[in-house]
Amino acid sequence: MIGNLHVGLAAIGAALAVGLIGMAASDAVGRNPGASTQILVQSILAIAFAEAIVFYALFLVQAPKPPGP
């Protein structure tokens, strides 16, 4: 049950991060249209790192628990 909460919070955080990255990228392209290719590459890379957080959370929730007493 707690693992579901962690994955949900990670997904909300990643969604907010992707939105903020997109907002900043569109603002940057509006300020300097000549650098749109470099901005696109950097924003795609940043979005991939933000989305990786959800996959880490999913992996940790699905990780087998060590046997206890």
Side-chain angles (χ1 to χ4, degrees):
M1 170 103 172
I2 276 294
N4 295 335
L5 179 64
H6 289 150
V7 172
L9 289 174
I12 289 172
L16 289 173
V18 167
L20 290 173
I21 291 166
M23 182 182 67
S26 63
D27 186 41
V29 170
R31 291 175 184 259
N32 188 2
S36 63
T37 303
Q38 291 89 357
I39 294 168
L40 177 68
V41 169
Q42 292 296 320
S43 63
I44 289 174
L45 188 62
I47 287 171
F49 287 140
E51 287 293 325
I53 293 170
V54 178
F55 294 118
Y56 294 147
L58 282 171
F59 175 73
L60 291 175
V61 166
Q62 297 299 325
K65 308 270 188 289

